[in-house]
Amino acid sequence: MRRYRALVAAAATALLLAGCSAADRGPDENGVITLRFQSLAWQKESVDINKKLVAEWNEAHPKVQIKYVQGSWDNVHDQLLTSFEGGEAPDIIHDATDDLADFAHGGDLADLTELLPPRLKADIPQRSWATTTFGKKVYGVPFLQEPRVLIANEKLLKTSGVRVPTPDAPWTWQEFRQVSKKLTADMGKGRYAVAWPLKEPVSATLNLSLSAGGELFRKGDDGKFTIRFTEGDGTVPATVHDQVNTDGSASSATLGMGGSDTLPGFFGGKYAMVPLGFSYRQQINEQAPEGFPWTVLPAPAGSGGLTQGVSPQTLSVAEDSPYKKEAVEFIDFFLRPQNMVRLAKGDWMLPTGSEALKDPSLRTPKDGWATGTALAEHLRAAPAQEVRGYPEWKDKVATPAYQEYYSGAIDARELRQRLEKDGNLVLARYQR
């Protein structure tokens, strides 16, 4: 039923784009061409900034106009599938790197390698370009990224006397477990050090596992991927499992929650820390009781240090677009350093651009910005970035397996067996 609703929504969105195929998108009688930019911005501040940048471009480029089209993260994959198949895709496409692989391999997105201006190529570091590179071709421009951090109750940390981590001296995963046990004991019955919101457990688990040396997906000499669950892949899952089922330092009730669902308990002092994406700071800033003492801590580190995976937001160009050069020129304007700062602040995320990251407004301790920018150099492509068949593996194999393991329903041996055995069967169908 969920997929049916998504397809209906996709079809409805596609209708908005109908009648605009590449064949009939030539200049109008005044020589003006119009490119459609589908944005997935959804928070008011972010939508406003996107629309302002479009308006600024349009005022400065009367012969190349951009039409803003509102898309949605909820159904973007199915909606794009429908629009690509119908020849009605927007010229400029806002998406995320973990959604690009099938479209890149399917020939739906333009190779931007020779179209990108030197300034833009130089400004974004190679570790970020790696998230949108498939083979030797670049299919998107990564521009916003979101590390996972610990949002913590500063008062509870201070009262307990535990060592407070910094990006220069983070907790190890083992120390995080020990600190969590002490915090829980100090907080009293019915209260927990940690709330893990793992309704969608796969991305969080895989991305944080890079810090412990976990990769899970191994690429062979033939370019094909297999799943192999090693000790590094087990560090983060074991920490969560043991906090919930052995130590009692993490609440089992939050495992089925989304991040926002944990905030009332966090504000009420039921949880001392919540691992969340960096952008949740906006919601906390707006909803926290007046004077609530929250702070941002780096996620724990392992053998890989503070490394973690990210799937940056991207801007791509449809292969069918007759105006690829103009589309890339707009992207270059949209992602000038000062504009990238505006976009990052609008979404409460980190820019990928080196110049934008230097902006003083993104390096202030207020609201944890300085902690985030200190993590930027440690962000890498999410482990499943190039893996075809990942969405099916995630939904049918990994999500239920991790959920059952975290709840204590299965042990680590069965988790490994299901991820590897069932997972490799799924990947094999996509790599024939």
Side-chain angles (χ1 to χ4, degrees), residues 93 95-97 100 104 109-113 116 120-121 124 128-134 137-143 312-317 328 331 335:
I93 299 164
D95 203 351
T97 56
L100 296 188
L109 300 177
D111 174 16
L112 305 181
T113 308
L116 293 169
L120 190 59
K121 283 197 284 190
I124 297 174
S128 294
W129 284 117
T131 66
T132 59
T133 301
F134 301 92
K137 298 179 179 180
V138 177
Y139 290 97
V141 182
F143 70 105
Q313 294 184 24
T314 57
L315 294 176
S316 299
V317 178
V328 171
I331 291 173
L335 300 183

Side-chain angles (χ1 to χ4, degrees), residues 160 177-194 243 247-251 272:
S160 186
R177 185 177 169 189
Q178 296 304 317
V179 165
S180 298
K181 285 197 282 189
K182 175 169 172 44
L183 272 170
T184 300
D186 292 345
M187 289 169 66
K189 188 176 181 180
R191 304 167 82 193
Y192 303 88
V194 188
Q243 286 179 326
D247 305 337
S249 60
S251 170

Side-chain angles (χ1 to χ4, degrees), residues 2 198-203 205 241 255 390-411 414-419 422-423 426:
R2 184 175 68 177
L198 292 173
K199 182 179 181 180
E200 302 286 346
V202 181
S203 176
T205 303
H241 173 276
L255 293 176
Y390 169 74
E392 181 179 339
W393 173 81
K394 180 184 71 171
D395 291 343
K396 295 183 178 179
V397 177
T399 295
Y402 279 120
Q403 286 175 336
E404 290 175 43
Y405 176 63
Y406 290 146
S407 70
I410 63 174
D411 61 16
E414 185 170 348
L415 172 68
R416 175 179 178 176
Q417 182 178 32
R418 285 168 60 172
L419 292 177
D422 298 346
V426 171

